[in-house]
Amino acid sequence: MSLRIDKWLWAARFFKTRAQASKACDLGRIHSNGIEAKPAREVRIGDRLNIKNEGGEFDIDVLALSEMRGPAAVAQQLYHETDASKDARARAAEERKAMLIYAPLPERRPSKRDRRRIIQFRGGR
């Protein structure tokens, strides 16, 4: 049995919508067994997937297939994340937290003049 990879990624809750999963495939953020995956690629039990999304980079093994999106507890039973992947994501999270020290939040919201300067600096208008 097999299933479209974009549908499986949505059911396993790596992406909120199937369209986002499909776009991630098109952008080359999903690799199946070391090969860049298109949205219509078939995923089978035992496949190794490398997924890059806003939550980080996941290396997982597919344990089960599901066409329906269910609760998070059920979705986590569809795959097994490797220990190396868990460690790498934990390290990345710690680095992001450490970087907040060097980039403190502004004291106030930008004024209209500040917003215009930000837009001009970014090359807008």
Side-chain angles (χ1 to χ4, degrees), residues 37-102:
K38 297 291 183 196
R41 183 179 182 91
E42 299 290 323
V43 65
R44 292 177 174 80
I45 295 173
D47 283 356
R48 166 80 41 116
L49 300 179
N50 180 280
I51 303 164
K52 294 177 189 168
N53 65 8
E54 64 275 354
E57 187 170 342
F58 298 84
D59 284 323
I60 62 164
D61 296 317
V62 177
L63 299 178
L65 301 177
S66 176
E67 290 189 20
M68 291 179 22
R69 184 176 170 101
V74 174
Q76 289 174 350
Q77 295 174 357
L78 298 177
Y79 61 90
H80 177 267
E81 185 177 5
T82 62
D83 293 333
S85 174
K86 289 178 185 176
D87 294 340
R89 284 190 313 109
R91 274 196 309 275
E94 289 174 11
E95 289 175 8
R96 281 194 303 272
K97 286 181 183 176
M99 290 305 291
L100 290 176
I101 296 170
Y102 300 110

Side-chain angles (χ1 to χ4, degrees), residues 115-125:
R115 283 196 312 274
R116 286 182 180 155
R117 287 183 173 172
I118 290 168
I119 291 168
Q120 184 180 16
F121 177 75
R122 290 183 177 166
R125 294 190 196 168

